[in-house]
Structures are given as C-alpha cells and as structure tokens.
C-alpha cells in the first residue's frame, strides 16, 4: 500500500527580499532581488553561517565568490550574463546548490573586484569571511519614516553590506564587515538618527526595556508633554473665543502683538513640539523627507508667518503640535498591538528549567541546559525544551505549537516540544535540542523572517510612496502660491492650505497598511499551528483556485490498519486473526505488520510457528502448530486449487462484517472472485486470504484509513471558493478511485511517479492562476516546490518539513487547511481595504484642501492618526479568525 514516490527532497524558502544593498560609492539600493523562478522552478537555498563563507580567492586567472542569494537557475543566469559582459572572461561556473561562483578570466583585462562589481550589478551580494550579522532592537522605530531616517544614517557607515529595517517588530538587522565597522558604530548611527537601541543580538540585559516602555505609552515622557500641550491649547481657546475681554496684549515680538491666547499657544507648541522638532532635525540631518520633517516645517512655517508677517497662525501651530503628538502616540499604540502578536509567540517558552543533577534537581536558565540533560516538568508547567519523554506519562497541551485543541497523551519515548503545557502528570524529558534551536525558536525565527518576503501589493505601495510625498509637497507649494490668484483666497488662508497639505504629504498609513496586515495574519496563523513563511505566500494562498492533495499521509493516515475480517467455513474472527498473526509475525511487509497489530490489540493468542517462507509477490507460508498455513493474494489460493467462487461464510457464533452480510444471501455462500474481493478492493482495501492446504479460513481486508477530517476539509474548501480539488497518488487506479469518491475530490490521478506529480502540477499551474499542493513535506518535495504554494503536513519537530514548504501545518491535522485558506483570503481583502481606503482618504483630503473644506486639525486626525489607527485595527481583525472546532464541524455536517 505504499506509494512509489518516496524521494526525499529539501527546499528552503526564498531569501529575504526586503534587504537594502549598500554599494560603496554608489549607495544604490535594491529593495527586492529579482528572483525569477521561471517554469515554476525552485532550487534549494542553503543558509550558510558567516564561518562557511569564503572571500573571493584570486588564483591568478581563477576567482571564486560566495553568492548565497544565487539560489535558483534564473538567478545564476542573471549573474552569468552580467559577468560575461566584462572583457577577458574565459568561463563562468555558477553553482546554485552551494551559492558559489567560479570565474576564469584574463588578469590583464579584468580583475576579481571588477567581477564582484558585475555580480552586485546583477542584484546579488558577494559575501566574505569578515561579515557578521547583528539584530538591534529599536522600539521607537514604529513607522516607515522612522525606518527611513535610520536607513539614511546607516548608509554613511563604511563596511555595511546590507541592512533591513522592520518597523512592525521594531528591529534593525545589519550585515557588516567586522574589520571596517562594529556594533558600536551601528548603534551610534541609529542614535544619531534619533532612536535608542535597547537590545542587540548579543546583549540580553535590555530585553525587558522595550516591554516596559510599551506598557507605559500613555504615561511616557512624550505623552506627558502632549497632555501639557493639550492643556495650554484648551486655555488658549478659552481666551480666544470665550474670555475675549481678558485676551489682552502681554508682549510684543518683532513688532507683532502677543495676546494671552497667543502666548498660551506658543507654550503649547514648546511643550508638544519638542519631540517633533527633535525628530525633524534628525530627518533633515539624514536627508529624509518624512512626516517629522514635514510637520516641523509646517509648525515653523506657521510661527514664522505669525511673527514675521503678522498672520496670527499661533492656533494652527499649537494645534499641529498637539494633534500630531497624539497621532504619534496612537501610532505607537497601534503598532504595539501588532507587535504583541509576535511577542506572545516569544513568551511561550519558559526562561528557566528544572534539571536533574545527580540525585537532586536544580533550576537553571534554559540557555544553560545542554542536549542530553534531563529536565523535570511538573503538572501545569510549560515544557522548556524539545525532547523525548524518559519517565512518566501525562496529557500535553500542544496547541501553542501544533494548534491541536485536545491534549495529546505522552509516555516514554514520545517527543515533546518547548512551549507546550504539561496538563496533569509528572514528566522527565531528555533534551534533544538547544534553546535556540528548538521547534518554537525556529517558528519564531521564521515568523520574524516572514516579514522580509514582501507581497506584490507591498512592493507596489513602496514604489507608489516614493512619488507620493514629492508630488503632494509640490502641490502644497503650488496651492500656497497660486490660490490667492486662482481662487481669490487671502495669503494667510493660502499659507494654512499649504501647511495642511504638508501634513497630508507623508503616506504613513498607506505604507504601513500592508505590513501590519501581514504580521497580524502570519502571527495569528502561527498561534493556531500554521506556519506561513512569508507575506508573499500568505497572499498567494488567498488567491489559490486549485488545491492538489497527495493521498498517502495527507488524505489518508499513512498507516495500514485492518478494516474487515470475514471468517469462513465455521471459523471465528478470532481463529482467522490467530492464524494470520502466526503467518505474518515474521514478515516485514506493512500489511503483515498491520495484521499483527490488529491481532495483538484483539488479545489473540500466539501459535507455534515453524518453517516460515515468503512466497515472492504472492504471500507467505508457515507451519502453525505443525499444520501448513498460507496467507496471501487470492491468486495464491487459486494456485492451491481452491474454488473461490463458492465458499461459506460463518454466521453461527461468528461475527460477520457488513460486507459479508451483503454477500451472504444465498445460503451463506460467497463468491470471493466476483463479489467479495472486488467490492473490498473497490473501497480501496487490500485483500489477504488465510487458510490451510485444505480449507479457506477467512478473508482480511487492510487499508490506509481515510482521515476523518478529509471529506469535511474538501467540502469546506469548495464552500470557501476553491474551484477545483485534485488528488495525486502513486497508488493503483482502483484504490485511488475509491479514496477519491469517499473524500469527494473533483479529480484524481493514479500511479504517478514523483516526476509525474511535478508534471501534473505544472499542467494545473498553466491552466489556473494559483495552485496549492498539500503533501507530507518530504516525499512530495518536488511537487510542493512546483506549485504556487507548497503546504507541508505535520511539520512540528521535523527540520526537513519546516524547510521544505512555503506553509507548514505544524500538527498532523488536515482540518487546518480551510482555516489557512480563509485566513489568507481575508488577509488579501484586508490588505486591499487598507491600501485603497488610506489612499482614498489622503487623496480626498488633499483635493479638498484648496477649497477650504479641510481644516488643519482634520488633516492631522483623519489623514494621519485616524487612518493609521484604522488600518492597524482592521489588520488586527485577522486574529479573530480561528480554525473550526469539532463542535462547529459536527454542527455543520449535521
């Protein structure tokens, strides 16, 4: 019953494409590497540590380069074509599997440095042994404009190869040449951009600082200054509009009168505008045209117009300072909500473990626990490390890793995962992986890395935003200068219009609309046992039209079990199993193992076995208690001259299966050849006959059981909008047809070799826009790689499965597939809503400004704070989508 598709392949995901490349002299950025996987080919990508990377080795006229991002044939082609443009190139040998490039050249016409430049011009980084990567925690970097300032500051450091800013998690990942730059240089650059570094990849002492700061957003120093600013704005409004008699002149500055309200507004600007001016200064210093710079210009412009030209725009300046500070606090709060979803994953694993040492136990940090140590886990405690149970038994809640709703019983020899919860019993677990290399750590790392794989919409947004701000700033200048002539407005009003447009010139909500949705969707999925390895895969899964399933281990359990026992000629079911057990207990065939397991669970007594013999391709023979017995295919018994068209089923005192009851309507007579055996085979079962040389004792049917959730999964996918479901299997036609009919797939293809599965997927990809392939992550690797989205089943604890597919169902639960499709589909909808609503609001407000319909406070609250909060809140709705429970499934089926 095993499929002939047991090739083991491994494929890792595409490298992060949110990396900025830093080229000396040119400072040229490449936001995405153009990995054009033509014909849907995905090659292996080996992730190498810095110690495994070699610098260019110049051996006269041969040089070798480490190009780890060159991980597909298309990538290699681009590199090769780029290098061949140089004069003096003799041969170019790109090796995709190792990420190395070997070039033979004429040293008089070109050089290794020139070749390295051509590789980088093709969009790929040449690494050397001096490169290291560090991660810096920058919690205040919570918007695209913040990231822009840090990027500009990092550009000025010699030795930085690549950097990646992640506002959604508040982290900066920098790869640099340790001989030319250090962590101190990078931290200094980030701080010069105006942001504090609270933690690095090698410094754990500051890990709690970001949490403390996030927990006190509304009582932080900036918040207190904002509330003070708001108080003075309120007092100023009181004197401006209600206590007009007391609004007297207090001073004169540059020939301009300062009334009580004006002074109060200036104090409001001074208190609320400190952080704005500080950030604006860093923006200007780093040549970054972002919201901080634009707001600083707007506030200063209002003050200059008031003091130098007597336009009395103090109220507008104070309103800008106060409302924008509120907008920044709201943005920090909204981003914190998105970050919380990932932080909850990180907090799953305990910080300490109780380790057995000699005859006692000792509580130590998990980082000090070594592979081979035995940790003690009491009821109610979290399991601190991946390991194997060596003593005790308990039910373990694996929901944090696999999303399973029901605790799983664990006994000696069973595998457990870090972050799961010991429900009731005492367990001793032998550690099998270090703290940073356990299943939970890999999940968190992959979820963090998933942000780097941008969706197509995110790439569109970034391209659009580079044009948006300059266009709106130009429109602001044009409106200020032209509206007095075209619309007949006064100069003070024109200045206010211009300031309002400056407020709308930064597309913060627009830019952040997609990443917060991706983070929300990916982290929500991870908490429900589904690991999505990139926003691009989330987007692709939501656009899938066809879902293709492997059969063995996916739609079926992948384990053979006995489904029917038909006793014949006066024998009982126990008699049949006892004989079958004796015959099969020395067989290593999966069918024999299934029969022995069934007999063991039924408590059938063993028999004395002698002269065991395997009859190739037909069955087995042995003497049981001195009597020759046979077990095998119907053909074996035909050769023994049995009349299989006329046998008698046992009905008195024996248990007759449903199949037997249906067949025994002619004096309990069965026709095995024309009726019983074909009908069992039509149900996808393998038939084994048991008997002696003189008597047929019974029929046993063995099958790979269909997963209970398989039919419901296929039905639910169709309800959610999947237009076609296909089953691909290496099994025989009859079995495939039976499984397909029971599960309800639209189409099946049987007797496929692994390469034929790939061909079948390619044909589906050519016909449909999106094709998902669901398999076990190992045997089906080629097909998973070829599909638009590859989904691996039961990937928890399996390195290969985690690395193979684009999406991994951590638990062995096919019912998570409809949840995944619904989440991805809804995520695409949320991303579209966020992009177009934020763009529409910004554009609408901008167009209405010259006609006087948008006061400056509305531009701040609606265009900045309102939309940022709205898109984040909309994105967080994805966390409400959860897999169906068994109760909900039963209700729907009922």
């Amino acid at each position: 019953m095993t499929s002939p598709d047991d090739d083991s392949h491994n494929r890792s995901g595409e490298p992060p494409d949110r990396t900025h490349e830093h080229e000396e002299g040119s400072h040229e950025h490449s936001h995405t590497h153009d990995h054009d996987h033509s014909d849907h080919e995905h090659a292996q990508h080996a992730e190498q540590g810095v110690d495994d990377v070699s610098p260019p080795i110049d051996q006269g006229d041969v040089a070798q380069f480490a190009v780890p991002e060159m991980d597909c044939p298309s990538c290699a082609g681009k590199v090769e074509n780029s290098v061949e443009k140089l004069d003096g190139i003799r041969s170019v040998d790109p090796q995709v599997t190792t990420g190395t490039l070997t070039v033979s050249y004429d040293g008089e016409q070109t050089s290794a440095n020139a070749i390295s430049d051509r590789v980088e011009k093709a969009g790929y980084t040449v690494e050397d042994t001096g490169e290291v990567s560090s991660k810096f925690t920058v919690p205040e970097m919570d918007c695209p404009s913040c990231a822009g300032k840090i990027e500009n500051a990092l550009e000025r450091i010699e030795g930085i190869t690549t950097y990646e800013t992640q506002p959604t998690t508040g982290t900066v990942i920098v790869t640099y040449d340790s001989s030319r730059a250090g962590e101190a240089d990078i931290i200094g650059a980030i701080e010069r951009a105006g942001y504090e570094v609270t933690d690095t990849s090698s410094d754990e002492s500051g890990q709690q600082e970001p949490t403390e700061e996030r927990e006190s957003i509304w009582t932080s120093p900036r918040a207190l200054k904002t509330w003070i600013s708001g108080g003075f704005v309120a007092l100023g409004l009181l004197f401006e509009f209600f206590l007009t008699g007391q609004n007297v002149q207090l001073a004169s500055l540059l020939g301009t009168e300062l009334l009580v309200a004006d002074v109060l507004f200036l104090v409001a600007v001074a208190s609320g505008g400190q952080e704005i001016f500080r950030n604006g200064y860093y923006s200007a210093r780093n040549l970054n045209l972002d919201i901080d710079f634009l707001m600083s210009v707007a506030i200063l412009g209002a003050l200059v117009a008031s003091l130098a030209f007597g336009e009395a725009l103090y109220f507008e300046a104070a309103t800008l300072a106060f409302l924008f500070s509120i907008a920044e606090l709201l943005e920090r709060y909204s981003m914190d909500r998105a970050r919380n979803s990932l932080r909850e994953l990180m907090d799953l694993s305990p910080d300490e473990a109780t380790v057995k040492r000699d005859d006692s136990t000792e509580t130590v940090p998990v980082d000090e626990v070594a592979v081979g140590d035995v940790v003690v886990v009491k009821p109610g405690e979290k399991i601190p490390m991946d390991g194997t149970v060596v003593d005790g038994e308990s039910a373990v809640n694996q929901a944090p890793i696999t999303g399973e709703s029901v605790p799983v019983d664990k006994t000696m020899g069973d595998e457990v995962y870090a972050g799961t919860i010991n429900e009731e019993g005492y367990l001793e677990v032998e550690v099998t992986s270090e703290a940073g290399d356990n299943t939970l750590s890999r999940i968190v790392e992959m979820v963090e890395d998933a942000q780097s794989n941008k969706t197509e919409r995110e790439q569109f947004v970034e391209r659009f935003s580079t044009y948006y701000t300059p266009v709106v700033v130009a429109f602001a200048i044009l409106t200020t200068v032209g509206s007095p002539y075209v619309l007949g407005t006064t100069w003070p009003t024109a200045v206010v219009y211009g300031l309002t447009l400056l407020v709308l010139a930064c597309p913060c909500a627009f830019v952040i609309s997609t990443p917060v949705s991706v983070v929300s969707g990916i982290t929500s999925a991870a908490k429900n046992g589904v690991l999505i390895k990139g926003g691009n895969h989330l987007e692709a899964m939501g656009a899938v039209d066809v879902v293709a399933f492997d059969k063995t281990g996916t739609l079926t359990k992948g384990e053979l079990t006995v489904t029917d026992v038909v006793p014949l000629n006066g024998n009982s079911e126990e008699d049949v199993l006892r004989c079958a057990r004796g015959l099969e207990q020395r067989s290593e065939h999966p069918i024999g193992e299934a029969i022995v397991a069934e007999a063991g669970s039924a408590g059938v007594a063993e028999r004395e076995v002698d002269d065991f013999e395997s009859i190739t391709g037909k069955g087995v023979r042995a003497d049981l208690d001195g009597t020759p017995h046979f077990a095998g295919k119907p053909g074996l018994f035909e050769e023994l001259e049995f009349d299989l068209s006329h046998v008698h089923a046992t009905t008195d005192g024996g248990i007759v299966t449903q199949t037997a009851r249906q067949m025994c309507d002619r004096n309990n007579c069965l026709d095995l050849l024309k009726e019983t055996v074909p009908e069992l085979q039509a149900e996808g079962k393998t038939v084994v006959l048991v008997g002696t040389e003189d008597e047929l004792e019974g029929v046993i049917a063995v099958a790979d059981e269909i997963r209970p959730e398989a039919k419901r999964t296929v039905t639910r996918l169709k309800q959610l909008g999947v237009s076609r479901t296909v089953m691909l299997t290496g099994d025989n036609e009859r079995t495939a047809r039976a499984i397909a009919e029971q599960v309800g797939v639209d189409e099946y293809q049987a007797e496929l070799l692994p390469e034929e599965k790939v061909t079948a997927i390619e044909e589906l990809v050519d016909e449909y826009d999106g094709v998902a392939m669901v398999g076990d992550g190992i045997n089906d690797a080629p097909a998973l790689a070829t599909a638009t989205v590859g989904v691996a089943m039961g990937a928890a604890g399996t390195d290969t499965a985690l690395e193979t597919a684009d999406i991994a169902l951590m638990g062995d639960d096919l019912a998570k597939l409809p949840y995944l499709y619904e989440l991805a589909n809804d995520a695409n909808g949320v991303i579209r809503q966020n992009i177009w609503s934020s763009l529409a609001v910004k554009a609408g407000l901008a167009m209405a400004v010259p006609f006087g319909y948008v006061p400056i406070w509305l531009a701040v609250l609606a265009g900045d704070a309102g939309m940022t909060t709205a898109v984040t809140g909309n994105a967080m709705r994805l966390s409400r989508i959860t897999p169906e429970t068994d109760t909900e499934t039963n209700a729907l089926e009922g």
Side-chain angles (χ1 to χ4, degrees), residues 582-588 609-615 619-623:
L583 289 163
E584 297 287 3
Q585 65 184 4
R586 295 187 182 180
S587 171
E588 296 181 355
V609 182
D610 294 304
D611 296 332
F612 175 84
E613 177 187 356
S614 176
I615 305 172
V620 296
R621 178 205 173 278
D623 290 345

Side-chain angles (χ1 to χ4, degrees), residues 11-18 33-37 40-45 47 68-69 71-72 75 449-450 452-454 459 533-534 536-537 785 787-788 803-806:
R11 174 177 66 89
S12 68
E14 295 180 24
D17 55 10
R18 290 191 62 180
H33 296 300
D34 183 16
H35 288 196
D36 180 17
H37 296 245
H40 311 284
E41 291 181 354
H42 295 252
Q44 293 180 345
H45 172 221
E47 295 184 357
E69 293 164 346
D71 58 3
C72 67
C75 307
D449 291 343
S452 300
N453 295 330
K454 293 182 181 178
Q459 295 174 40
K533 295 167 63 176
N536 51 343
H537 305 312
T788 310
E803 295 295 334
T804 296
D806 305 316

Side-chain angles (χ1 to χ4, degrees), residues 619-643:
V620 296
R621 178 205 173 278
D623 290 345
L624 303 181
D625 298 329
T627 303
H629 279 71
F630 297 86
K633 297 179 179 180
L636 173 62
F637 286 84
E638 284 187 292
E639 291 180 7
L640 295 173
E641 299 183 352
F642 279 92
D643 182 8

Side-chain angles (χ1 to χ4, degrees), residues 657-716:
T657 65
Q658 183 64 35
T659 302
R661 292 192 188 98
Q662 293 171 353
M663 297 296 101
C664 288
D665 56 359
R666 303 190 308 276
N667 299 320
N668 300 331
C669 178
L670 298 178
D671 185 340
L672 297 185
L673 286 181
K674 292 185 178 179
E675 297 173 340
T676 308
V677 171
E679 291 212 3
L680 288 171
Q681 290 177 336
E683 294 173 4
K685 301 172 182 177
T686 298
V687 177
V688 177
L689 274 56
V690 180
T692 67
E693 293 175 324
D694 305 315
E695 180 185 67
L696 195 60
E697 296 177 336
V699 178
I700 297 177
V702 178
D704 182 4
E705 271 191 285
I706 296 175
R707 291 180 182 271
E709 69 273 18
K711 183 175 182 179
R712 174 61 190 161
T713 295
V714 172
T715 302
R716 183 64 179 146

Side-chain angles (χ1 to χ4, degrees), residues 800-811:
T800 304
L802 278 173
E803 295 295 334
T804 296
D806 305 316
I807 299 174
L809 305 183
M810 302 304 293

Side-chain angles (χ1 to χ4, degrees), residues 57 99 106 134 197 222 314 347 435 531 592 610 673 867 869 876:
I57 302 173
D106 183 348
S134 297
V197 177
R222 177 160 192 177
Y314 303 108
D347 292 341
L531 179 59
D610 294 304
L673 286 181
M867 283 312 303
T869 305
M876 298 312 294

Side-chain angles (χ1 to χ4, degrees), residues 56-58 62-65 86 105 110-118:
I57 302 173
D58 196 340
V62 177
Q64 189 176 77
F65 305 84
L86 291 172
Y105 63 96
T110 188
S111 66
N113 287 335
I115 296 170
S116 179
D117 289 340
R118 291 306 309 174

